[in-house]
Amino acid sequence: MLSLSILIPLLAALALALMPRLSEAAARAIAVLAAAASLALLVLVWVGFTAGAGFQAVQEIPWVPSLGIAWRVGVDGMSLALALLSALIFLAATAWPMPELSRPRAYYAWLLFLTGVSLGLFLTLDLVIFYVFFDLSLVGMYFLIGRWGHGDAQKAALKFFIYTLAGSLLILIGIIVLVLALPELDFDMRRLIAQTPLAGGGITASLVLLAFLAGFAVKTPLFPLHTWLPPAHVDAPGPASAILAGVLLKMGTYGMIRIPLQMMPDTFARWALPLAIVALISILWGALVALGQGNLKRRIAYTSVNHMGYTVLGIAVAGAAIGPEAARTAALNGAIVEMIAHGLITGALFLIAGSFWARTEDYEMAHYGGLAGQAPQLTLLTVLAAFASLGLPGLAGFVAELHIFIGAFAVYPWIAAIGLLGLLITAALFLQMLRMVFFGDLPTERAGFPDLSRMEIACLAGLLSLVVLIGIWPAWLLDLIDAGGLIAAPAVPALSVGG
């Protein structure tokens, strides 16, 4: 089922590419059906999944036996949760209406291509296949931004591609050196996690770890490697922005957990404190810069730097060798829930931003106001997404941030205390955004602003209903993730701040 969930959208993308006379409606229908099939297959895997039992639904077919490379797929709780999130966001992005879409067959083909390779990255258990899917995801997003974006879309797409490709090359170097430390070549993630190559530290281990962290930090993105993100978001079409924020950014944090945290726990513990400090800078920088943006989409884009900073703070706390294990497990639970919450919330916010562009081709918040009476359904869903993003109790963002800060206060209390300022700034920037766009006087040029269509409401409701469900009843997601099984006890003491 895992292999099929990857192959179905790839084969559907190929079919769209080979059917030149297909209408836009038919291309969209094929894309939606393929995306829905992938999601349905992953739900079936979830139904048969046993929490805490390690990697399951494993399939392995030799590919390059001389190098130990194989088509290996399988899931644990973390990868299954992220794969389900990705499939849902791709379904919503594919079903999202795109008025006056040029080259629709190619657009939906690239969406399906990106669906397949993104799911493949979360489902593979082979490091070479992981790297292949990591790089192919850049190709799909490059074309979605460059061909169907607006503004200076081609420049934004090129900057995105160059930055993230440079990061992926660092990851490739790390993979090669890590695997060469094994007695024999083997790219099986399960074996690398069990044997922890380069254990004991040393300069080689530190350099490999830094290569991984820098490469994944570009994708996440963390300060100061985030500068590709705002133009990529602002100039991308709404569904592509939702995929970029909801799925592609998670590849960076997923990679941090799966490779350096799990495969190099001793070396990770040595660098956990510097990573936590970088995460703190990202939290504060992302929130402060977002507060200064007058462009709706650019403001949402910078909140991603802020929220992914929370995620990386949770990962750093989990990898530290100090503090109680329960607190470190809570932090990692929070980091993974934050990935899922951010994907759902910010994916919805970028789809909402896309609805503004489709109606007015204008992201400037100062050009709006008073839309609450004009578009009540848009207002309601935007308010829900905004309050979820600022961490309101009862919604998914609060569950994630509560776990992260409980763990962080036990391990790095001063970092956690300063990081709380990010929550205040995030609340301010979203409340200001809601006031500027939806309340006050309605400009005369917005008198005919239409509310959301039924399909737009369905896509947003599908994402935001899960935000509410996780906020009210998070136990089912936490049980699925089972973060305690992802943390190894480092043998090397870590640095501490105030603890």
Side-chain angles (χ1 to χ4, degrees):
M1 289 185 185
L2 298 181
S3 294
L4 283 175
S5 68
I6 300 167
L7 294 175
I8 286 175
L10 292 177
L11 292 174
L14 180 62
L16 288 178
L18 297 177
M19 298 185 336
R21 296 186 178 180
L22 206 62
S23 68
E24 178 178 348
R28 184 165 179 251
I30 291 171
V32 169
L33 287 174
S38 287
L39 177 60
L41 286 167
L42 291 171
V43 170
L44 289 175
V45 173
W46 183 18
V47 170
F49 185 80
T50 303
F55 290 105
Q56 300 168 51
V58 175
Q59 182 185 27
E60 185 169 349
I61 302 171
W63 183 32
V64 188
S66 60
L67 296 178
I69 303 171
W71 173 264
R72 299 182 178 99
V73 291
V75 287
D76 61 359
M78 175 179 65
S79 57
L80 179 57
L82 290 171
L84 286 164
L85 164 74
S86 302
L88 179 62
I89 290 175
F90 272 110
L91 178 58
T94 305
W96 188 260
M98 291 288 288
E100 300 180 5
L101 180 65
S102 64
R103 301 185 296 275
R105 185 171 51 86
Y107 171 80
Y108 288 112
W110 279 117
L111 269 181
L112 288 174
F113 172 82
L114 194 53
T115 303
V117 299
S118 299
L119 292 178
L121 181 138
F122 293 119
L123 300 178
T124 187
L125 295 178
D126 188 282
L127 274 181
V128 170
I129 306 299
F130 173 93
Y131 178 76
V132 169
F133 283 138
F134 191 94
D135 267 7
L136 289 178
S137 69
L138 312 183
V139 177
M141 185 54 66
Y142 171 80
F143 282 105
L144 284 174
I145 297 173
R147 279 192 170 188
W148 291 277
H150 37 262
D152 202 354
Q154 293 187 2
K155 181 179 178 181
L158 181 61
K159 188 173 184 179
F160 156 78
F161 191 89
I162 295 298
Y163 267 64
T164 47
L165 181 62
S168 75
L169 292 177
L170 291 174
I171 294 168
L172 178 61
I173 293 170
I175 289 172
I176 292 171
V177 178
L178 188 67
V179 169
L180 288 175
L182 289 171
E184 58 184 37
L185 289 177
D186 194 343
F187 291 88
D188 191 332
M189 289 184 177
R190 296 165 295 177
R191 184 181 176 194
L192 289 158
I193 292 170
Q195 297 196 9
T196 59
L198 300 174
I203 186 64
T204 301
S206 293
L207 291 174
V208 169
L209 182 91
L210 290 176
F212 280 128
L213 292 180
F216 289 127
V218 174
K219 191 80 166 185
T220 298
L222 288 179
F223 176 91
L225 304 174
H226 67 288
T227 56
W228 62 267
L229 182 70
H233 270 312
V234 170
D235 295 330
S241 287
I243 293 166
L244 180 58
V247 180
L248 268 64
L249 301 191
K250 310 307 174 289
M251 295 177 181
T253 45
Y254 170 75
M256 283 187 191
I257 297 171
R258 183 64 82 212
I259 301 178
L261 177 63
Q262 288 197 277
M263 298 179 189
M264 307 176 67
D266 294 349
T267 310
F268 193 99
R270 287 193 181 90
W271 291 91
L273 175 58
L275 182 62
I277 293 171
V278 173
L280 174 63
I281 296 170
S282 293
I283 289 169
L284 299 178
W285 178 266
L288 284 169
V289 177
L291 182 61
Q293 304 302 311
N295 181 295
L296 173 64
K297 217 176 183 191
R298 188 174 287 270
R299 175 169 291 206
I300 298 169
Y302 274 107
T303 65
S304 288
V305 179
N306 165 262
H307 284 92
M308 298 312 289
Y310 293 128
T311 303
V312 176
L313 176 59
I315 295 170
V317 169
I322 57 175
E325 184 179 348
R328 294 190 293 115
T329 300
L332 189 56
N333 268 322
I336 299 171
V337 174
E338 180 71 24
M339 285 191 256
I340 294 164
H342 177 265
L344 294 169
I345 297 165
T346 310
L349 284 169
F350 276 122
L351 290 177
I352 288 168
S355 71
F356 278 86
W357 184 264
R359 288 159 172 76
T360 65
E361 296 189 358
D362 188 357
Y363 289 133
E364 288 300 320
M365 293 186 293
H367 297 168
Y368 293 94
L371 291 184
Q374 189 74 19
Q377 293 169 324
L378 173 63
T379 304
L380 174 64
L381 292 171
T382 308
V383 168
L384 176 59
F387 276 108
S389 192
L390 62 84
L392 188 74
L395 299 171
F398 174 77
V399 175
E401 289 158 11
L402 178 65
H403 280 79
I404 291 169
F405 279 103
I406 285 175
F409 269 106
V411 177
Y412 301 130
W414 290 108
I415 291 178
I418 298 170
L420 286 175
L421 294 174
L423 298 178
L424 295 176
I425 301 168
T426 304
L429 70 90
F430 274 112
L431 292 175
Q432 183 193 57
M433 180 193 82
L434 293 175
R435 178 184 60 80
M436 292 178 68
V437 175
F438 294 103
F439 302 102
D441 297 329
L442 180 71
T444 55
E445 63 270 21
R446 304 296 181 222
F449 191 93
D451 208 346
L452 296 173
S453 68
R454 291 182 180 179
M455 181 56 70
E456 289 172 324
I457 293 172
C459 292
L460 293 172
L463 299 178
L464 294 176
S465 61
L466 280 175
V467 172
V468 176
L469 177 62
I470 295 170
I472 295 174
W473 181 44
W476 63 273
L477 180 58
L478 295 169
D479 290 342
L480 171 63
I481 293 169
D482 185 37
L486 301 174
I487 301 178
V492 179
L495 299 174
S496 65
V497 171

